[in-house]
Amino acid sequence: MLDQEKTFEPLIVAFCCNWCSYAGADLAGTSRLSYPPNVKIIKVPCSCRVDPIFMLRAFGKGADGVIVCGCHPGDCHYSTGNYFTRRRFALLFSLLDFMGIEKERMRLEWVSAAESAKFARVMNEFTEEVTKLGPNRRLMDIRNLPEGYEELGRGPHREVLDAQAPHARNIPSVVKIEEQMKARATKLLADGVVDRVLAWKAGDHETMPEPAFFDHPSQIENMVYNKYCAHNLSKYLMVAPWLGGKLFDGSTLIFLKPCDSYSFNQLIKENLINLEKTHIIGIGCGGTVQVEDLEEVGMWEKCGVCTKIHHPVGDEIIELENNSPRLDKNARFATVEAIEALSADDRFAFWQSQLSKCIRCNACRNTCPVCNCKRCVFSNNKYDMASKVNATEFEEQLFHIVRAFHVAGRCSDCGECSRVCPQDIPLHLLNRKIIKDINEFYGEYQAGQDIAAPEPLTSFDLNNDGQAGKN
Amino acid sequence: MNKTYKIALGNLSKLYGRINETQQIYLPVRRGGTLNFEKWHESAVVDLHGLKTTNTPKDLFLPQSEDLYTAKMDGTNIEIITKDFFDNAFVIFGVKACDIEAIAVMDNIYLSKHPVDMYYEARRKNAVLVSLACNAPKNACFCAAFNIDAANPKGDVATWILGEYLYTQAQNGKGKAFVEDIMGLFEPAEADDLLGLKAEIAEKAQSLPYSKLPLESFTGENMMKIFDHENWDFLHRACIGCGTCTYTCPTCSCYDIKDFDKCSGTTRFRCWDSCMYPEFTLMAHGNNRLTQKERFRQRFMHKLMYHPMNYDGQFGCVGCGRCINKCPVSLNIVKIIKSLGVEVAENANA
């Protein structure tokens, strides 16, 4: 049994780059400069090697503070590694702060091989700061707590903010578009331009259309397009590896609503779509509705704040006759701003209350068009992060932070993650927070808009990327 | 006939508080915008009028994750610390007829054959099931197709909401003991008061769009015919392989056993598993269901064929309609039943 009254000694994990910071630590040692024994150093080839998962799992395993050290900007052994680190951690720290996790527990520092004194000073400062904060309880797998320790600092689940206010907007009829779509699909199939069509098939109930492939003009009569066709079809043209099956060899006609076309364009950018075998028809959309018990509930949040009218990609476009006026393009950030305005405790309570509903069904991952890894890091039976396990709240946090972060800069805000969540967790808010940060830190960026535009997380600005902390 | 009692809806929180004095009480609570069974506390937002919880009562008998034992290493010694079986009496309040029937399905799976699942049994033994009739079954409900009576839910105690009162009737000895314990808060009522409500519910349930489904063909002799049916080729096509249908299904009961390494020892625990995942029943040689078509087929074959064949015709589906509401791509068991049931029956007649 450990005595909780004992002075708190934090556990600090330091990821140090092999070329600068680790050498700096080494020099600190040989120069007899003292820094706290609480710091456990993990050597990495480059600070850019540090995946956010490393940091999160360090916290999960009981670290009270995590610090990433790399070469000074401009000094990277691999020329540019630390520029990527800088952007990545600026976003991650901001996201964790958004979730109410103490920002002070994580740090990014530049330490060169000669800066032994700086290394010792930084470690002393950081250890002192984390000691003041006390033990990490907000991002921690409670199963790793030593016996006798209590689960502190989490507090009961409580309501903080309603994140899913319904939207009222008139939905224009798309009957005309449906007819045009059917005509084009029949024509293209009959002419042999395409071998199959990807669209929506009428379900057994009006509100239940499902994504479907049509191989023959005679099947087209079953095709529908209406306000219930919320599904993003982009991913079906990529053979999702976990679905198995064979790659289709013929060419496909795909219908894309404006928001779908952004994610589809992103897939094109990532070389996951064979454009030679794809015929794209962009279709107008007036918004889609949420259905419960086969009855309309209201417009999906994502449609309520949607500003995407145009298609960034498409061989043909079938437009809506009168595109309804759209909201201000920053309206979608209103809820994110409302959460940002809360205190850290309330932000934590909000996300704890939401994420604790998660049942790890992985619908958000499997439906996300840019969650397209050949093998998901969570499809893993070896580590304590298998996709189906939901033993502690930490696993929910870890999964959702990583899920949101792995699509950072690639998420086009199609909102599918929140649409499919059986527990109605507003997952899109995590992604929107990242999008908002990217816009603020690195300039306006819309994933999927322009495949030639540099991506925010794989590009950098030599002088202007200082948001990650103190340089 | 068991005696009928009633309590004003306004006094229910008193009732919950009274039950809470001696045992934990779980009931439909709205939190973060979602209705789920949660432990009652004074500030919980209880919603008995909501139709369906997202999570099912199975969570309380087969928790999503449950520790089995811990092995501790001390030098070369390994100490096994087993976990005590669950031993707290608890009450689940407001369970709908379909979910009650689902518990009967789970009982068959876990308790009817030797060896019984002791972890499940321990929780099951300790629970009092208080059911609640559905005043307003909705379009996605199809319990009537499985001959489940939404107007007369089973369980240890049945309840009805009529006007401003909650009516209650004990259904068995366990229920009687439970009701007697909290009798002070109730007043006597006439069972006949409920007749009108019951007739109304029964009529509503029968008139819903999915209340009559072609289930006749799902019998043992048609097993291979259905298994090999060509319709599976397109039925599964939209499936994205998530576990939503399995995790929100009241009768899905598969679990996996995993280890959590704490460095100082290992905790073995079990957690839900979904046949929709490629890692399901992963073995040394790989997985025997290679594509989503096979995984998808397995789930529905299990509900509609294997389970009834093993358990005396009892279907593994109770018509709660959660998969209809929750599937990201609008697939659901009704579409399967309609597609295969009708065609197999037609072929048999031809």
Side-chain angles (χ1 to χ4, degrees):
Chain A
M1 185 75 74
L2 288 157
D3 182 6
Q4 293 203 29
E5 300 288 302
K6 229 166 66 178
T7 356
F8 165 61
E9 285 292 344
L11 176 62
I12 310 280
V13 174
F15 291 99
C16 290
C17 122
N18 179 44
W19 306 98
C20 289
S21 316
Y22 191 76
D26 215 23
L27 185 62
T30 47
S31 318
R32 307 274 171 124
L33 295 170
S34 73
Y35 64 89
N38 311 51
V39 180
K40 307 282 183 284
I41 296 179
I42 297 176
K43 188 161 74 168
V44 285
C46 175
S47 56
C48 189
R49 174 68 185 89
V50 184
D51 188 300
I53 293 183
F54 294 3
M55 180 177 254
L56 299 171
R57 289 192 82 214
F59 280 122
K61 294 252 173 219
D64 300 300
V66 178
I67 181 164
V68 179
C69 302
C71 311
H72 282 273
D75 284 351
C76 178
H77 184 78
Y78 308 99
S79 303
T80 55
N82 49 6
Y83 292 120
F84 301 122
T85 316
R86 191 159 70 173
R87 285 200 166 189
R88 185 188 305 158
F89 282 99
L91 289 178
L92 180 69
F93 291 174
S94 176
L95 180 69
L96 292 178
D97 185 46
F98 181 64
M99 299 175 76
I101 293 152
E102 306 98 325
K103 217 178 179 175
E104 297 80 9
R105 293 190 188 280
M106 38 211 138
R107 219 190 246 200
L108 176 65
E109 286 283 353
W110 311 129
V111 178
S112 83
E115 290 176 325
S116 55
K118 181 177 180 188
F119 184 85
R121 179 173 52 81
V122 163
M123 292 305 160
N124 276 311
E125 269 175 24
F126 189 52
T127 310
E128 204 178 304
E129 201 171 338
V130 175
T131 312
K132 261 188 235 153
L133 279 175
N136 156 36
R137 288 293 179 269
R138 291 197 169 170
L139 194 57
M140 154 101 200
D141 195 331
I142 51 162
R143 291 174 296 183
N144 285 318
L145 283 174
E147 238 172 88
Y149 263 83
E150 278 169 39
E151 195 187 342
L152 305 165
R154 281 177 162 271
H157 296 155
R158 58 193 164 95
E159 297 281 344
V160 179
L161 182 126
D162 181 6
Q164 287 127 318
H167 284 263
R169 225 175 71 185
N170 285 332
I171 298 178
S173 159
V174 286
V175 176
K176 235 184 183 168
I177 294 190
E178 186 188 286
E179 291 311 315
Q180 285 171 297
M181 282 165 65
K182 283 183 176 173
R184 278 307 286 156
T186 314
K187 178 92 171 50
L188 289 168
L189 269 179
D191 291 354
V193 178
V194 295
D195 301 302
R196 60 173 187 176
V197 175
L198 173 55
W200 296 268
K201 184 175 81 178
D204 53 342
H205 190 273
E206 188 200 3
T207 59
M208 287 272 132
E210 72 186 52
F213 287 97
F214 302 88
D215 309 309
H216 196 268
S218 65
Q219 297 167 347
I220 296 293
E221 60 178 338
N222 291 328
M223 192 161 117
V224 287
Y225 179 58
N226 55 32
K227 58 186 172 181
Y228 306 109
C229 297
H231 328 89
N232 186 340
L233 303 179
S234 306
K235 214 175 179 179
Y236 285 105
L237 278 203
M238 223 189 81
V239 173
W242 51 85
L243 298 186
K246 287 189 211 99
L247 205 64
F248 182 72
D249 202 30
S251 57
T252 311
L253 163 64
I254 182 170
F255 287 105
L256 296 170
K257 301 192 294 288
C259 61
D260 303 348
S261 65
Y262 280 82
S263 35
F264 196 72
N265 208 20
Q266 181 66 27
L267 294 182
I268 293 172
K269 179 173 185 163
E270 293 171 18
N271 291 322
L272 291 162
I273 301 289
N274 185 351
L275 268 183
E276 280 170 16
K277 295 199 164 177
T278 314
H279 189 87
I280 305 164
I281 299 186
I283 47 175
C285 169
T288 58
V289 293
Q290 188 173 0
V291 170
E292 203 175 316
D293 292 307
L294 312 185
E295 282 162 29
E296 235 170 83
V297 181
M299 187 185 258
W300 285 107
E301 195 271 354
K302 64 169 182 171
C303 301
V305 296
C306 173
T307 51
K308 299 180 185 121
I309 309 179
H310 304 294
H311 297 79
V313 64
D315 299 313
E316 319 170 17
I317 311 279
I318 302 177
E319 270 299 354
L320 203 62
E321 269 186 344
N322 45 351
N323 264 334
S324 55
R326 301 297 166 113
L327 292 162
D328 157 35
K329 74 175 172 178
N330 285 325
R332 61 177 173 153
F333 296 125
T335 320
V336 173
E337 278 159 6
I339 296 173
E340 284 171 342
L342 298 170
S343 70
D345 285 348
D346 281 354
R347 289 199 298 271
F348 180 73
F350 171 77
W351 282 109
Q352 186 193 21
S353 176
Q354 289 295 340
L355 295 184
S356 63
K357 296 188 296 184
C358 174
I359 51 173
R360 290 301 291 278
C361 65
N362 294 300
C364 48
R365 176 192 74 181
N366 287 12
T367 201
C368 174
V370 286
C371 260
N372 48 32
C373 290
K374 281 247 148 64
R375 192 172 164 78
C376 177
V377 66
F378 288 98
S379 292
N380 192 332
N381 267 324
K382 269 189 197 148
Y383 302 107
D384 46 344
M385 49 193 280
S387 59
K388 54 197 164 199
V389 183
N390 198 25
T392 68
E393 288 187 353
F394 172 72
E395 283 178 323
E396 291 151 355
Q397 287 177 314
L398 178 71
F399 174 70
H400 288 294
I401 296 170
V402 171
R403 186 200 63 79
F405 206 78
H406 276 187
V407 298
R410 307 193 295 126
C411 167
S412 66
D413 199 11
C414 74
E416 282 287 270
C417 43
S418 290
R419 180 184 70 82
V420 302
C421 180
Q423 294 281 8
D424 303 322
I425 305 172
L427 293 167
H428 65 285
L429 293 178
L430 294 176
N431 297 93
R432 271 198 200 148
K433 167 66 181 165
I434 296 177
I435 292 172
K436 182 167 176 279
D437 283 347
I438 288 175
N439 285 349
E440 280 170 16
F441 296 177
Y442 314 121
E444 295 269 322
Y445 181 79
Q446 167 63 52
Q449 181 144 36
D450 174 10
I451 55 171
E455 290 212 359
L457 268 95
T458 51
S459 58
F460 52 84
D461 182 336
L462 284 180
N463 306 311
N464 237 348
D465 283 353
Q467 284 85 357
K470 308 148 199 173
N471 279 305
Chain B
M1 190 69 188
N2 284 310
K3 280 183 197 147
T4 310
Y5 299 95
K6 66 179 180 181
I7 179 172
L9 293 181
N11 288 335
L12 279 179
S13 53
K14 248 188 243 165
L15 174 69
Y16 306 144
R18 169 70 186 77
I19 299 172
N20 195 43
E21 283 169 17
T22 49
Q23 47 197 324
Q24 288 179 345
I25 165 164
Y26 291 84
L27 66 187
V29 168
R30 209 168 272 286
R31 180 168 66 80
T34 318
L35 192 65
N36 277 316
F37 280 99
E38 290 195 11
K39 203 189 281 180
W40 180 82
H41 55 91
E42 268 170 22
S43 50
V45 187
V46 180
D47 184 2
L48 290 183
H49 297 280
L51 183 62
K52 265 169 270 190
T53 52
T54 300
N55 279 2
T56 67
K58 85 172 171 189
D59 296 34
L60 297 165
F61 302 114
L62 181 72
Q64 182 150 20
S65 132
E66 179 174 31
D67 285 354
L68 305 179
Y69 64 81
T70 300
K72 267 204 162 167
M73 290 278 283
D74 184 15
T76 51
N77 282 334
I78 299 177
E79 189 193 353
I80 304 282
I81 306 159
T82 50
K83 211 169 158 258
D84 292 336
F85 286 113
F86 183 88
D87 193 24
N88 295 316
F90 69 102
V91 178
I92 317 181
F93 200 94
V95 186
K96 298 296 163 69
C98 51
D99 287 345
I100 292 276
E101 203 57 36
I103 294 171
V105 173
M106 296 281 273
D107 284 352
N108 261 340
I109 296 168
Y110 281 127
L111 302 176
S112 70
K113 288 178 184 166
H114 193 72
V116 302
D117 186 298
M118 293 190 290
Y119 297 92
Y120 179 87
E121 188 189 29
R123 289 173 193 270
R124 189 71 184 81
K125 231 171 36 193
N126 274 300
V128 176
L129 294 176
V130 181
S131 61
L132 174 65
C134 301
N135 281 14
K138 288 194 180 157
N139 283 342
C141 297
F142 54 106
C143 55
F146 296 100
N147 298 323
I148 294 167
D149 188 355
N152 286 298
K154 294 175 189 165
D156 300 317
V157 180
T159 63
W160 293 262
I161 293 177
L162 177 60
E164 285 307 300
Y165 287 94
L166 181 86
Y167 284 69
T168 180
Q169 271 175 8
Q171 303 289 305
N172 56 25
K174 197 179 191 176
K176 220 176 228 170
F178 172 74
V179 172
E180 266 162 27
D181 203 36
I182 50 172
M183 188 58 70
L185 291 161
F186 285 91
E187 51 189 285
E190 289 299 321
D192 289 350
D193 292 357
L194 294 168
L195 290 179
L197 175 71
K198 285 183 183 176
E200 199 183 304
I201 296 172
E203 197 195 321
K204 219 179 267 172
Q206 289 296 343
S207 66
L208 295 171
Y210 297 153
S211 60
K212 286 170 195 71
L213 295 177
L215 285 160
E216 305 75 29
S217 323
F218 294 92
T219 52
E221 64 261 30
N222 284 336
M223 184 175 87
M224 288 319 291
K225 221 188 265 177
I226 291 182
F227 187 87
D228 292 327
H229 205 285
E230 57 189 20
N231 281 7
W232 291 113
D233 284 337
F234 69 81
L235 283 174
H236 85 282
R237 199 57 191 82
C239 177
I240 58 170
C242 72
T244 305
C245 52
T246 41
Y247 284 4
T248 58
C249 177
T251 66
C252 265
S253 56
C254 292
Y255 61 83
D256 191 7
I257 293 182
K258 301 177 89 64
D259 292 334
F260 181 80
D261 183 4
K262 290 183 176 179
C263 302
S264 61
T266 299
T267 299
R268 178 151 289 188
F269 66 101
R270 68 173 177 186
C271 59
W272 291 354
D273 204 345
S274 166
C275 51
M276 293 291 166
Y277 294 162
E279 303 96 43
F280 181 69
T281 62
L282 190 66
M283 283 172 272
H285 75 279
N287 201 319
N288 47 3
R289 296 190 197 102
L290 290 174
T291 69
Q292 198 58 23
K293 177 187 160 186
E294 282 131 26
R295 292 176 208 128
F296 185 84
R297 178 172 61 191
Q298 163 63 22
R299 176 158 195 274
F300 296 104
M301 286 299 282
H302 188 190
K303 301 277 175 222
L304 299 169
M305 298 294 317
Y306 310 146
H307 188 88
M309 284 164 74
N310 288 334
Y311 298 103
D312 214 14
Q314 176 192 52
F315 280 104
C317 173
V318 293
C320 71
R322 286 185 178 87
C323 51
I324 298 179
N325 283 343
K326 299 298 179 187
C327 177
V329 289
S330 317
L331 294 176
N332 55 61
I333 199 163
V334 171
K335 283 185 176 175
I336 312 298
I337 296 173
K338 282 189 174 174
S339 169
L340 297 172
V342 172
E343 290 210 11
V344 172
E346 274 172 6
N347 289 347
N349 295 336

